[in-house]
Structures are given as structure tokens and as C-alpha cells.
Amino acid sequence: MGANEHEILVLRCLLEASRKLQKHLERLRAPSRTVVFIRNDIFERLISESSDRGKESYVSLDQSDPEVLREILRLRAVASLSAPMEFDEFARRFFDLHVGGEDTFRFLFRHTFGRARDVLQIVKRCIETALNRGHLKVTEDDILMAVTSYSENVLRELKYEIRDSHGEGSEVLEEFIGSPLVIPATQVESRISKVMKAPGGEKALLEILLWYSFLGIQLPDGTEAYAFEEQYNVERLMRRGSIATEELLFVIHPAFRSALHIESA
């Protein structure tokens, strides 16, 4: 769902061209290896629509592990400062350690989608906010302001992506302004129906919102789950939420809550 059919076709052509180029160079006795980096959600769609799933060899760069994300930040800090340091030293030196009683970087990671670029972007906003205010250290208030700015940006980007990839339905995001933190399925369907009139359109748009992790599922134990944590398998995500409950309960990802004026618990 992160790319339309035309874009998936272009990607298939790119992969086929890379294979042909590699074979041509090998015939010329010029050893080569082509590598194509693909966003995980796009790759999942590519594989799901492929009749020969074993044809492509791939390596998954798992960046959803908080320890991996911390290491990426540490390496960036070491490269920028030209000085070796551990992550804890980096955090103590440049950031307030807690936001509302929660570990600062756990708080920041919750507002991203398990991708390194998201983490780097939100941390960069924190640093920029502190510098603009003349602070030598990123304070809790700087972090909260940066998260608000980041929220507006990711909501805008999602609106454009839904519009460009699916042609309609992007205006549904505004229907969730001021919504409660936990939303019963009937209320979600009601909000979607205001912008989708075509037969079957409501179900398709709900799946899109889940797939992009705009919406997640509240599990029976009260925790939240999102599609990016389930390898973008929306059906499996919804099955997890339907266990031991009569009606699915939806939540909006923390990244969008500030822009939509939704108060977190």
C-alpha cells in the first residue's frame, strides 16, 4: 500500500535490469554485485504480489530494536563530534534524561515507526529546537516542542502519500482531530464513511490507515500494536486485537496525536 501498481512495476523492472547488468559484467570478467535498498513496507508489498518469492535474495536491516536505534545515534554522535563515547554518555551530556517521568529516548522512539530515519529526524528536531532557544542541552520542554513540530510534519507527509498513492481518502485524517485516545470500531467506521462513499471504499481506507500505522489496535492487555511491528500484515494485526473482545478498539499512533490535538494517556 506504500506504492501504487505503477511504482511496483518500475521497481520490478529496476531489479530485473540490475540482474541483467550483473550478468553482463560477469561475462566481461568484471565481478560485480548489485544492491537495491527498499523500504520495508514497499518490500513487503513487492513480495506479496510476486509469484516467485524465492527469486530475490535479501537481507533485512532490523532497525526496530531500541538498542540498534541507540547505536545508530551513538555512531552519528561519534562521527559529528570526532570523539568516542558510549550512548549513555551522549544522552547525559546533551539531553534531559526524562520526559514526564519516561526515559527520553524511549519517549522519542514511541513517536516514530521503528525506522532509523524517523529517529534521526526527531532527534535532529530536538537539537535544532534547543539551539534556536540558546540552550546548551536539550531540555524536556525542547523535546516536547520538537515532537509537536515533528507531528505536524508526519501528518502532512502521510496526507500527501495517501493522496499520491491511492488518489482519494487523504482528507479522512482531519476527521480524527480531537478524537478520544481509544476509538471503538463503530466510531472509526463512522468517521471514514464521511469521506468514502464508493462501495467497499470504507474497508479499503481502514486497511490503508492501519497499514500506514496511522491507526493501531489496542490489545486486550491495554498495550498498543501497529502494522510496522507486524511486518505490515494488517490481517494479523486485526486478529491480535479481536482476541477476547467483542469490538475492536483502535488507537492513533503517538506520532500524530499532537497534530490532531489528541491527549495521550
Side-chain angles (χ1 to χ4, degrees), residues 181-213:
L181 181 61
V182 179
I183 317 172
T186 52
Q187 291 187 24
V188 170
E189 293 164 1
S190 175
R191 292 169 192 266
I192 291 176
S193 67
K194 293 179 181 180
V195 300
M196 289 298 288
K197 306 299 182 183
E202 295 177 14
K203 182 177 184 295
L205 184 52
L206 174 60
E207 291 180 352
I208 288 170
L209 296 178
L210 286 166
W211 193 87
Y212 279 109
S213 295

Side-chain angles (χ1 to χ4, degrees), residues 159-200:
K159 183 175 182 178
Y160 293 154
E161 186 157 359
I162 292 177
R163 183 195 64 188
D164 295 343
S165 299
H166 305 283
E168 60 178 343
S170 61
E171 61 271 23
V172 75
L173 302 179
E174 277 75 23
E175 294 295 330
F176 291 90
I177 292 176
S179 69
L181 181 61
V182 179
I183 317 172
T186 52
Q187 291 187 24
V188 170
E189 293 164 1
S190 175
R191 292 169 192 266
I192 291 176
S193 67
K194 293 179 181 180
V195 300
M196 289 298 288
K197 306 299 182 183

